[in-house]
Amino acid sequence: MVADDKKSLIDSLRKAGLSAAAITAAWPSWWTEEAEESPSGRAELRFALARRLGLEPRPLLGERVEFVWNDEAKFKHLNAQDEAQRAALTSFGMSIGRLLLRATPAQVTAAAPADILREAILVGNAYVDLNSLVATCWTLGIPVIYLRVFPLDTKSMHAMVVRSDGRFAILLGRDATYPAPVAFTLAHELGHAMLGHLDGAPALIDLEDPALAHDGDDQEDEADRFALTLLTGSPDPDIQTNLDRFNAPTLARAVLDVARQYRIEPGTLALCVAHRTRAWPVAMSALKFIYAEPKPAWREVNGIADRMIVWDDLGDDAALYLRNVMIGGDA
Ligand SMILES: [Zn+2]
């Protein structure tokens, strides 16, 4: 009986498109079969799941799944995803973003131009890299985490900015083995926040990698220019290489040689050259030679987040949920 009830609840959530990983992460730790036997326990379970997954609580009492956020978010690089999937993505992201903001000291985030932010970061760093960028976001009162649990069965989001009460949170989706591409994504998302692209929208979702997908969207171009200015000092960096022909190791050596002089992180420099010359595969394999070892970006980003989040501001169960989402199933 009890098992049937749990099963039918999970079935409803799965049918709405939510992934098993998201349901498992959101499942409250206090839940027991005894709790499920009492009407209040059953209600409590549904309220907790609704809050965490961004669902309307009342319909869920009757096993009906309605997302809190439907078509309010801005989607960039929209592909064939259906409306229900977009609602699931937005609602999940909003609930995580708000949870994060609850545990991040409030800060009035003044819109800062990219060149001013770059100057501030360069006071204490050789260049703007992923670490210093993540730290700067937190200093601005903008939490940044990697999602390790996705609301949909297919990983279908590059990154997302959530806006709540005039504050922002950034959720990164697709993981990378090296930091430079992630630094670009983060700088691009910060650009969306700083450039007012979320005015009137609760969330902005980049479904595809903005570095690769260009579809004549002005806000995408603006966010790219913001990112490049922040990372390189120019919205359109003219990085020349004196190598007529280069391969991955020679490009790696060249960018390592000049990174400090240009004050551009070596991996970012390689990506700039790739952008100029359309030599993406060479630049991507140059990253292997630039960094001593592959380092999943999510560990670095969520490591900083773990130190910055004021865990005590969340209840034990909400904190556990956020940790689940930040660690995922294969930690
Ligand atoms: Zn974008």
Side-chain angles (χ1 to χ4, degrees):
M1 179 61 203
V2 166
D4 283 354
D5 188 78
K6 180 181 176 184
K7 188 177 173 300
S8 87
L9 175 58
I10 292 175
D11 279 351
S12 309
L13 295 166
R14 294 288 286 133
K15 257 185 227 128
L18 288 162
S19 67
I23 297 167
T24 304
W27 206 267
S29 65
W30 51 257
W31 188 87
T32 59
E33 299 215 336
E34 291 85 69
E36 186 66 3
E37 272 165 19
S38 76
S40 67
R42 290 166 40 90
E44 199 66 23
L45 168 66
R46 282 155 182 79
F47 282 128
L49 288 172
R51 201 162 46 237
R52 289 168 192 187
L53 297 169
L55 311 174
E56 296 288 1
R58 251 164 237 291
L60 196 60
L61 292 176
E63 247 66 314
R64 245 181 335 109
V65 177
E66 289 178 19
F67 293 104
V68 173
W69 302 92
N70 290 294
D71 53 0
E72 296 91 342
K74 264 188 202 173
F75 277 79
K76 302 290 185 184
H77 321 292
L78 192 55
N79 54 20
Q81 284 191 317
D82 70 29
E83 228 166 279
Q85 289 188 317
R86 295 205 295 272
L89 204 51
T90 307
S91 298
F92 179 80
M94 288 301 295
S95 74
I96 298 291
R98 290 175 157 190
L99 196 56
L100 266 175
L101 285 168
R102 252 173 59 203
T104 306
Q107 194 99 17
V108 183
T109 307
D115 51 346
I116 303 290
L117 283 176
R118 175 174 170 81
E119 259 173 51
I121 293 171
L122 291 185
V123 170
N125 299 277
Y127 28 65
V128 180
D129 61 6
L130 179 59
N131 261 311
S132 57
L133 198 52
V134 173
T136 299
C137 287
W138 282 95
T139 307
L140 292 167
I142 302 175
V144 181
I145 62 163
Y146 246 107
L147 292 181
R148 299 289 294 156
V149 169
F150 291 85
L152 305 173
D153 284 319
T154 49
K155 290 190 183 182
S156 50
M157 182 195 78
H158 193 75
M160 172 173 184
V161 190
V162 168
R163 180 169 180 262
S164 180
D165 293 328
R167 301 179 61 197
F168 300 100
I170 298 175
L171 309 176
L172 300 171
R174 220 155 293 159
D175 196 25
T177 319
Y178 299 105
V182 182
F184 179 81
T185 298
L186 179 55
H188 174 100
E189 303 308 325
L190 183 62
H192 281 313
M194 290 294 178
L195 296 164
H197 293 172
L198 278 90
D199 289 354
L204 185 153
I205 296 141
D206 275 309
L207 287 169
E208 299 298 327
D209 185 348
L212 303 176
H214 267 273
D215 30 25
D217 180 325
D218 287 348
Q219 290 193 339
E220 285 303 285
D221 292 341
E222 271 177 54
D224 279 353
R225 283 198 295 275
F226 182 99
L228 287 169
T229 303
L230 181 50
L231 296 172
T232 73
S234 161
D236 185 22
D238 183 19
I239 310 293
Q240 304 288 347
T241 155
N242 55 9
L243 305 165
D244 290 337
R245 298 167 59 105
F246 50 81
N247 56 26
T250 55
L251 177 60
R253 207 170 318 120
V255 295
L256 283 167
D257 281 348
V258 298
R260 279 177 182 272
Q261 174 197 334
Y262 281 104
R263 305 204 74 178
I264 302 175
E265 194 271 336
T268 299
L269 260 176
L271 295 179
C272 288
V273 172
H275 190 69
R276 281 271 154 196
T277 56
R278 303 271 152 214
W280 285 108
V282 176
M284 293 314 275
S285 51
L287 297 180
K288 278 184 229 143
F289 298 93
I290 292 171
Y291 303 105
E293 54 185 356
K295 206 159 53 164
W298 76 269
R299 284 187 190 278
E300 203 158 332
V301 171
N302 286 356
I304 297 173
D306 189 29
R307 293 193 294 279
M308 300 303 288
I309 291 170
V310 185
W311 292 100
D312 291 346
D313 285 359
L314 301 170
D316 284 352
D317 231 59
L320 191 64
Y321 174 46
L322 188 54
R323 283 192 198 279
N324 286 344
V325 166
M326 286 170 57
I327 293 169
D330 51 54

